[in-house]
């Protein structure tokens, strides 16, 4: 797991404390807006859409007295599953623009990508988080913009201002079966895959470090 769309949705349910009408409306609105931007009259007006991610701040001020000064931006790079269809990664040129944008705000930006080969065997090994069982089924590699492309960055460098998490105190796994699968967005493998990777990257960081996170929509 997630060896199919249903199990990817179940993972999302464990990560979202409140799945209500407003949550779904917000996701649907973002999907409609992106589709609108990709229509013929508008597509020529811009070059790139950068997938959303997270602004991550230290969740423990024992390391730094200014946690907001040590925040980072983490932008997931979606990766295709065997069931998801083709998932096109962001262009490097767009990632350079994202890097420049955050750099002007004094925020380091990293790109996060699963380093596991996603075949049927490895997908079957994925374990959905549950209370008291917060496994990290996939490892994540972190990268930053270099002269010729993205270059690897050790997670210890990425998170050097963050306290390592000891134990599972503060972790959550919310109840399943709260998303209405009959809604169109939950029948779209592409949408579900992108949502999965966005939340899995946050889950991976939260499982390893004490963090505070703020949602970052695509731009």
């Amino acid at each position: 797991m997630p060896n199919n769309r249903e199990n990817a949705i179940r993972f999302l349910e464990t990560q979202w404390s409140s799945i209500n009408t407003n949550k779904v409306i917000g996701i649907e609105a973002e999907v409609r807006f992106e589709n609108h931007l990709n229509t013929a009259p508008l597509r020529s007006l811009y070059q790139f859409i950068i997938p959303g991610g997270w602004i991550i701040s230290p969740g423990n001020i024992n390391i730094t007295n200014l946690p907001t000064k040590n925040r980072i931006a983490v932008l997931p790079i979606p990766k295709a599953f065997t069931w998801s269809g083709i998932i096109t990664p962001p262009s490097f040129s767009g990632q350079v623009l994202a890097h420049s944008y955050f750099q002007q705000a004094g925020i380091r930006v990293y790109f996060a990508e699963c380093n596991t080969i996603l075949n049927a065997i490895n997908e079957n090994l994925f374990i959905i988080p549950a209370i008291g069982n917060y496994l990290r089924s996939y490892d994540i590699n972190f990268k930053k913009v270099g002269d010729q492309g993205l270059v690897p960055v050790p997670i210890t460098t990425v998170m050097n201002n963050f306290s390592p998490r000891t134990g599972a105190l503060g972790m959550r796994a919310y109840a399943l079966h709260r998303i209405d699968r009959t809604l169109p967005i939950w029948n779209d493998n592409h949408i579900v895959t992108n949502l999965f990777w966005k939340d899995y990257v946050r889950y991976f960081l939260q499982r390893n470090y004490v963090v505070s996170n703020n949602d970052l929509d695509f731009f």
Side-chain angles (χ1 to χ4, degrees):
M1 298 179 288
N3 53 6
N4 54 47
R5 185 177 65 235
E6 170 61 24
N7 285 322
I9 294 173
R10 290 181 181 178
F11 170 79
L12 293 173
E13 287 178 316
T14 70
Q15 301 304 297
W16 293 345
S17 63
S18 172
I19 297 176
N20 53 31
T21 302
N22 289 336
K23 180 76 173 182
V24 175
I25 287 175
I27 294 172
E28 288 183 324
E30 186 171 348
V31 170
R32 287 197 306 270
F33 183 46
E34 184 172 4
N35 290 338
H36 177 62
L37 290 176
N38 283 315
T39 58
L42 297 178
R43 189 62 187 88
S44 63
L45 300 179
Y46 65 92
Q47 287 183 290
F48 310 108
I49 293 178
I50 309 301
W54 304 96
I55 300 295
I56 306 291
S57 301
N60 186 333
I61 63 173
N62 290 333
I63 286 184
T64 172
N65 291 324
L66 296 171
T68 59
K69 296 294 184 180
N70 292 283
R71 64 196 187 280
I72 60 176
V74 178
L75 306 181
I77 300 175
K79 192 172 184 178
F81 292 106
T82 59
W83 48 267
S84 65
I86 296 173
I87 301 295
T88 303
S91 72
F92 177 64
S93 296
Q95 291 168 328
V96 170
L97 291 175
H99 166 81
S100 176
Y101 174 83
F102 285 107
Q103 190 175 48
Q104 292 178 59
I107 300 175
R108 292 176 295 155
V109 59
Y110 298 100
F111 302 90
E113 184 177 30
C114 174
N115 71 355
T116 306
I117 297 173
L118 294 177
N119 53 31
I121 294 175
N122 288 331
E123 289 176 6
N124 284 328
L125 295 176
F126 184 83
I127 297 176
I128 296 173
I131 294 175
N133 187 28
Y134 307 103
L135 294 180
R136 294 155 290 193
S137 299
Y138 299 147
D139 283 331
I140 297 293
N141 284 342
F142 293 87
K143 304 175 183 180
K144 67 178 182 179
V145 169
D147 292 338
Q148 303 297 323
L150 296 183
V151 296
V153 183
I155 190 172
T156 52
T157 299
V158 174
M159 306 300 288
N160 66 325
N161 289 314
F162 293 74
S163 297
R165 181 180 294 278
T166 56
L169 184 64
M171 295 295 294
R172 298 287 186 272
Y174 300 101
L176 301 177
H177 311 300
R178 295 178 296 141
I179 288 177
D180 182 359
R181 271 63 162 178
T182 64
L183 296 173
I185 60 172
W186 304 116
N187 292 303
D188 188 312
N189 288 344
H190 183 269
I191 293 172
V192 172
T193 298
N194 286 334
L195 289 171
F196 172 87
W197 285 118
K198 181 176 179 179
D199 268 272
Y200 184 80
V201 166
R202 180 205 51 76
Y203 170 81
F204 180 86
L205 289 175
Q206 185 185 40
R207 187 64 187 87
N208 287 276
Y209 295 90
V210 182
V211 304
S212 175
N213 54 266
N214 291 291
D215 192 11
L216 176 67
D217 292 332
F218 74 83
F219 58 98

